[in-house]
Amino acid sequence: MDDILNKYLPESAVSPCLELIQYSGVHLKIVNDRVTRHGDYQKLANGKHKITVNASLNKYRFLITLIHEIAHLIAFEKYGRAIKPHGLEWKRTFQHLMLPFIRPEVFPPQLLPLLARHFRNPKASSSTDARLIIALKQFDTQQSENSYVFEIPKGSVFRLYNGKIFKKGNKRVKRYECVEVATGNMYLFQPNAEVELIKT
């Protein structure tokens, strides 16, 4: 397991992550890239626990995603299944589990203040934290040609991973109104949704 984790995690995070995996009794499966999620936690019918994490994530995103999913398992085991998946109990568990990793031996110095700010009140997805996600993207081995919705000008036309084409509109409180070109239907997009800008 050490050899596998070495490929996906910062070196100094391998041993403590292995301890967490063994302590929680979870089966970790590293899977091909899924566009809609970075990781997933499931309690199986036989009572065992399974976590999947995308293989394509850079080492820092992989670590955050792995701890995010282990926090689900530990929070459910500690507080019961009635808690909200990303409620207060999960947030406290996630903060507690991440704290030992937020140090210069694990993360590059430029990420540490962003991580400290993010983990004061972690969200359901780190992808909703624009500053953190842009900083983390710099460490991707394969640089994407995609843009974030918040970066492109109003009126821009863009394509989603599923081929659907949208036109960017006004910003609401946090999200952007975008109209699907084919249907005229309006959808709300998170500012950090990755899209392919169509140059006209």
Side-chain angles (χ1 to χ4, degrees), residues 163-167 178-187 189:
K164 291 184 178 179
I165 295 172
F166 294 82
K167 186 172 185 178
C178 299
V179 174
E180 187 180 359
V181 173
T183 63
N185 293 336
M186 197 263 287
Y187 295 86
F189 276 73

Side-chain angles (χ1 to χ4, degrees), residues 60-200:
Y60 308 113
R61 288 198 80 170
F62 192 99
L63 173 57
I64 293 167
T65 304
L66 175 62
I67 302 302
H68 174 125
E69 301 305 339
I70 290 174
H72 280 304
L73 187 167
I74 291 174
F76 281 133
E77 292 290 291
K78 185 174 180 181
Y79 299 104
R81 292 264 148 192
I83 64 168
K84 292 180 180 175
H86 296 106
L88 191 59
E89 297 87 353
W90 171 80
K91 287 186 183 204
R92 285 183 180 153
T93 306
F94 194 15
Q95 286 169 325
H96 173 74
L97 292 176
M98 269 306 294
L99 197 57
F101 295 102
I102 303 175
R103 53 195 178 91
E105 295 86 351
V106 178
F107 286 99
Q110 66 266 42
L111 291 180
L112 292 173
L114 298 172
L115 287 163
R117 189 174 66 90
H118 178 79
F119 278 97
R120 283 188 204 126
N121 184 23
K123 302 288 186 282
S125 169
S126 60
S127 294
T128 57
D129 185 334
R131 288 172 65 191
L132 178 58
I133 208 67
I134 290 168
L136 284 166
K137 194 176 180 183
Q138 295 169 35
F139 298 95
D140 290 350
T141 48
Q142 292 181 318
Q143 289 300 320
S144 170
E145 296 295 315
N146 290 348
S147 304
Y148 294 114
V149 166
F150 77 87
E151 293 178 307
I152 62 176
K154 182 181 171 184
S156 297
V157 177
F158 62 85
R159 184 183 289 111
L160 279 188
Y161 66 91
N162 58 12
K164 291 184 178 179
I165 295 172
F166 294 82
K167 186 172 185 178
K168 181 180 173 181
N170 294 317
K171 186 179 182 182
R172 286 205 185 169
V173 180
K174 289 185 179 177
R175 295 184 288 177
Y176 288 90
E177 297 175 349
C178 299
V179 174
E180 187 180 359
V181 173
T183 63
N185 293 336
M186 197 263 287
Y187 295 86
L188 292 175
F189 276 73
Q190 292 285 0
N192 308 4
E194 279 196 60
V195 298
E196 179 194 347
L197 182 62
I198 298 173
K199 295 180 172 66
T200 52

Side-chain angles (χ1 to χ4, degrees), residues 40-56:
D40 186 56
Y41 159 71
Q42 284 179 291
K43 185 169 184 180
L44 304 175
N46 62 7
K48 294 188 176 180
H49 306 278
K50 182 174 90 170
I51 284 173
T52 59
V53 181
N54 289 5
S56 61

